[in-house]
Amino acid sequence: MDSEFLLDPALCHLNHAAVGPWPRRTVEAVKRFAEENARSGSLRYADWLAVEQRLRERLASLIGAAATDIALIKNTSEGLSLIAQGLDWQPGDSIVGIAQEFPSNRIVWQALAERGVSWRALDLARSSDPEADLIALCDGSTRLIAVSWVQYASGVRLNLARLATWCRAHGVLLCVDAIQGLGALPFALPRYPADFVVADGHKWLLGPEGLGLLYVCPELRPRLRLTQFGWHMVEDAGDFDRTDWQPTADARRFECGSPNLLGAHALEASLSLLTEVGMDEVWRRLQKRTEHLITLLERRGFELLTPKDPERRAGIISFRVPGRSSAELYQGLMRQGVLCAQRGGGLRFSPHFYTPIERIERAVRILDGLLGG
């Protein structure tokens, strides 16, 4: 696995919850695509589209859907916006979410206030049972629960099966921002029957920015009002002389224009690595690393912001050093080559399944040095 990652050995990359590094095969796929384009232009465009189709199939397999259920979108914000602006809201409707969400999963719902739709937010910091507390915020006006599978700052992982079961029983839609979980641990729609799943490819999926997935339950696809239109989202998309048109029935209806084929080559290559390793094995290795990191942090008396319970966390480990400024420690870590983040009032380390344990230990030793240990 070391041969797949070309990271400078002087760096401790613990920032997959932000932007992940590309595997070697992804770098090579992008080089081949660029060189082929430079030599022969679009001569092999049909082959490029075959790569895009493989990408849809890999993404579908990753979440337990069909390839025709996968729309390729620019980013999570776009996918959430397509959902928020596409549903047929009525004045007085409400949405339930979490106050500490990343802005993309707050702003799109708050923007519906102009249509008379309210967004009710759970303070996750005050909740010991987030699923029960989210459900308690719902009433007869609630049309949708919109949450992240894994919270970007604290690393708290929700029990999606529990939420999905309640939502199905009460006629409430469930929208999942899966960006901080997909690529870190297994996901399966049969187990977590969400109505909407959105994610980007540039974090745990080890791909580029600018390309992600949108899943909309097939029964709901025709109910979403389309807000973007173009040649690519219609039936018989290659028949440019056809004057009558209608949106295609599959998920391509949410893709209005030309595909990001450069991004498709990169993300398809990255997903091929995760497929070879297997998501169960990825999760097993990642858990080993996060558990070791937790042990190192607790041994030093640091305050964990991420739950210790393996069922409540994924790849993010956030913590505070009592009596010390997280901002100053973050700056010091970055200066010494520890790629991490400052989130939610603490430091956020996010290794991946391949991260050498020695790099995790070195990062903690560097932190010791900043503390004068």
Side-chain angles (χ1 to χ4, degrees), residues 54-178:
R54 288 203 304 273
L55 171 60
R56 289 183 198 272
E57 291 166 358
R58 291 191 188 280
L59 290 169
S61 178
L62 191 67
I63 67 170
T68 52
D69 295 332
I70 301 299
L72 299 176
I73 56 174
K74 293 190 291 292
N75 47 57
T76 308
S77 298
E78 180 187 42
L80 292 171
S81 294
L82 287 169
I83 297 163
Q85 294 299 314
L87 286 169
D88 181 23
W89 302 103
Q90 301 299 318
D93 286 345
S94 68
I95 300 160
V96 167
I98 291 175
Q100 290 85 358
E101 287 282 0
F102 191 76
S104 296
N105 208 8
R106 290 187 282 107
I107 293 171
V108 297
W109 313 115
Q110 293 170 333
L112 295 170
E114 64 182 13
R115 294 165 65 176
V117 179
S118 63
W119 180 71
R120 301 173 184 171
L122 170 68
D123 183 355
L124 193 62
R126 296 177 179 271
S127 176
S128 60
D129 189 345
E131 294 80 21
D133 291 338
L134 285 165
I135 290 168
L137 285 175
C138 298
D139 60 21
S141 72
T142 305
R143 294 273 308 280
L144 177 124
I145 294 178
V147 292
S148 289
W149 184 18
V150 179
Q151 288 294 310
Y152 82 103
S154 66
V156 172
R157 173 160 58 109
L158 295 183
N159 185 330
L160 294 183
R162 185 178 173 193
L163 280 178
T165 298
W166 185 89
C167 286
R168 288 295 170 98
H170 292 81
V172 174
L173 300 174
L174 178 60
C175 178
V176 176
D177 176 350

Side-chain angles (χ1 to χ4, degrees), residues 58 61-63 149 181-188 204-205 270-271 273-287 352-353:
R58 291 191 188 280
S61 178
L62 191 67
I63 67 170
W149 184 18
L182 283 186
L185 69 165
F187 183 97
W204 303 93
L205 296 178
S270 295
L271 290 181
L273 173 61
L274 295 176
T275 300
E276 288 176 17
V277 177
M279 285 311 306
D280 288 337
E281 179 64 12
V282 165
W283 178 225
R284 188 191 68 79
R285 296 185 193 181
L286 179 54
Q287 278 188 298
H352 211 326
F353 77 101

Side-chain angles (χ1 to χ4, degrees), residues 178-256:
I179 194 170
Q180 293 294 3
L182 283 186
L185 69 165
F187 183 97
L189 278 167
R191 183 180 177 190
Y192 314 128
D195 297 287
F196 310 101
V197 179
V198 189
D200 258 323
H202 66 273
K203 298 184 186 292
W204 303 93
L205 296 178
L206 303 171
E209 293 182 281
L211 190 59
L213 73 92
L214 167 65
Y215 165 84
V216 177
C217 177
E219 292 76 17
L220 290 172
R221 280 201 298 258
R223 290 173 48 189
L224 280 189
R225 180 176 64 91
L226 295 173
T227 56
Q228 300 179 132
F229 297 86
W231 71 270
H232 193 261
M233 45 78 72
V234 300
E235 290 185 350
D236 300 321
D239 185 355
F240 304 131
D241 295 325
R242 181 173 174 175
T243 56
D244 64 306
W245 62 272
Q246 61 181 356
T248 185
D250 66 20
R252 187 166 49 82
R253 69 194 286 117
F254 303 115
E255 303 172 16
C256 63

